[in-house]
């Protein structure tokens, strides 16, 4: 089966614009493709230097995405070099069986649509807990556990080892060893094209195996 891994960051605007494509692909290939998301934290090099700079980026990405609204920069806090809190909350929810997109999407909406300062526990925790259907105290305890930050740091390190340059990044692989990385792609068609190619290759190998077996002669 084909597997798609989506490397994302809660406060990334391009990840925000990519979410409809992610949802479309999950629906289109339900039961045929495995989907998983992992956190790839932005560091200082991937963050805006000021709100005015971020507004410029938002005008650009919003127009490219043909959005009818502009994203909100209220989440930004001057001087921060990363936004760990919303990302560990999304990651921690997985340990309660909430591995879908709802917590991440709720935090994205709180940040980039409503302008909440999501790197503050008091602002993010109620949003994440409500989306996950988990008590605030339980989610807070899990999100603050060192294991959760370790997982987020490890998936971020994976992202950098691939030499990916943009978030979102999608890594696709199938059961016969084909692998592809699409970094910066935020629409469904290019990702779907790779999925279709990988599915077709798997079918071809299955057909070959039915006629000739899975191992070459000695």
């Amino acid at each position: 089966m084909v597997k798609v891994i989506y490397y994302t960051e809660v406060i990334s605007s391009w990840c925000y614009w990519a979410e409809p494509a992610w949802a479309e692909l999950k629906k289109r290939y339900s039961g045929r493709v495995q989907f998983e998301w992992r956190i790839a934290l932005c560091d200082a090099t991937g963050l805006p230097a000021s709100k005015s700079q971020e507004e410029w980026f938002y005008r650009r990405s919003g127009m490219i995405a043909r959005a009818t609204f502009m994203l909100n920069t209220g989440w930004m806090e001057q001087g921060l070099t990363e936004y760990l809190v919303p990302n560990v909350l999304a990651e921690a929810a997985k340990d309660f069986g909430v591995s879908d997109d709802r917590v991440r999407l709720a935090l994205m909406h709180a940040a980039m649509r409503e302008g909440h300062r999501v790197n503050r526990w008091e602002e993010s925790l109620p949003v994440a807990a409500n989306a996950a259907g988990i008590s605030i105290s339980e989610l807070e305890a899990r999100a603050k556990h060192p294991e959760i930050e370790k997982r987020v740091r490890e998936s971020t390190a994976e992202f950098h080892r691939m030499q990916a340059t943009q978030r979102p990044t999608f890594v696709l692989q199938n059961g016969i060893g084909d692998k592809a990385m699409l970094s910066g792609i935020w629409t469904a068609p290019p990702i779907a094209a790779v999925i279709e190619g990988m599915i077709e290759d798997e079918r071809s190998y299955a057909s070959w195996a039915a006629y000739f077996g899975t191992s070459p002669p000695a």
Side-chain angles (χ1 to χ4, degrees):
M1 181 178 284
V2 175
K3 182 174 183 178
V4 182
I5 302 173
Y6 167 29
Y7 288 87
T8 183
E9 151 72 81
V10 169
I11 51 84
S12 164
S13 59
W14 278 115
C15 290
Y16 179 91
W17 299 124
E19 290 297 339
W22 179 243
E24 178 187 335
L25 292 166
K26 288 177 70 176
K27 182 178 180 181
R28 187 189 307 183
Y29 294 103
S30 177
R32 294 191 291 154
V33 174
Q34 295 177 350
F35 292 92
E36 177 188 345
W37 59 266
R38 297 179 187 175
I39 296 295
L41 287 169
C42 282
D43 57 23
T45 62
L47 292 170
S50 65
K51 286 193 176 184
S52 60
Q53 188 182 80
E54 184 72 324
E55 286 169 356
W56 186 92
F57 285 122
Y58 281 177
R59 285 192 292 272
R60 184 182 66 174
S61 68
M63 289 187 69
I64 291 170
R66 298 185 180 181
T68 57
F69 57 86
M70 183 168 160
L71 298 180
N72 192 324
T73 61
W75 58 270
M76 287 185 58
E77 296 190 64
Q78 202 71 30
L80 290 185
T81 56
E82 68 177 8
Y83 288 78
L84 182 63
V85 171
N87 287 288
V88 294
L89 282 169
E91 182 68 27
K94 292 179 178 179
D95 290 358
F96 296 89
V98 187
S99 58
D100 57 19
D101 308 309
R102 73 186 103 152
V103 175
R104 199 180 67 253
L105 290 174
L107 289 165
M108 283 181 160
H109 183 86
M112 288 179 278
R113 294 303 306 277
E114 298 179 347
H116 290 290
R117 294 190 170 186
V118 290
N119 204 53
R120 300 183 181 187
W121 290 101
E122 65 271 21
E123 296 209 29
S124 280
L125 260 170
V127 173
N130 182 64
I134 304 167
S135 74
I136 288 177
S137 59
E138 286 181 304
L139 184 57
E140 180 179 18
R142 191 60 191 152
K144 289 182 176 179
H145 194 285
E147 180 188 342
I148 299 301
E149 181 175 346
K150 182 179 181 224
R151 287 197 331 229
V152 166
R153 300 286 181 197
E154 286 174 348
S155 58
T156 301
E158 280 176 16
F159 171 82
H160 288 298
R161 282 196 298 271
M162 295 186 299
Q163 298 185 325
T165 57
Q166 304 291 335
R167 299 161 187 84
T169 284
F170 298 91
V171 175
L172 303 90
Q173 50 197 346
N174 64 11
I176 59 172
D178 297 338
K179 190 171 185 178
M181 179 178 74
L182 301 174
S183 187
I185 297 298
W186 62 280
T187 58
I191 305 168
V194 178
I195 290 173
E196 292 292 344
M198 287 188 168
I199 290 174
E200 189 57 35
D201 281 350
E202 284 190 328
R203 286 174 180 156
S204 297
Y205 269 63
S207 176
W208 169 270
Y211 281 89
F212 298 100
T214 57
S215 301

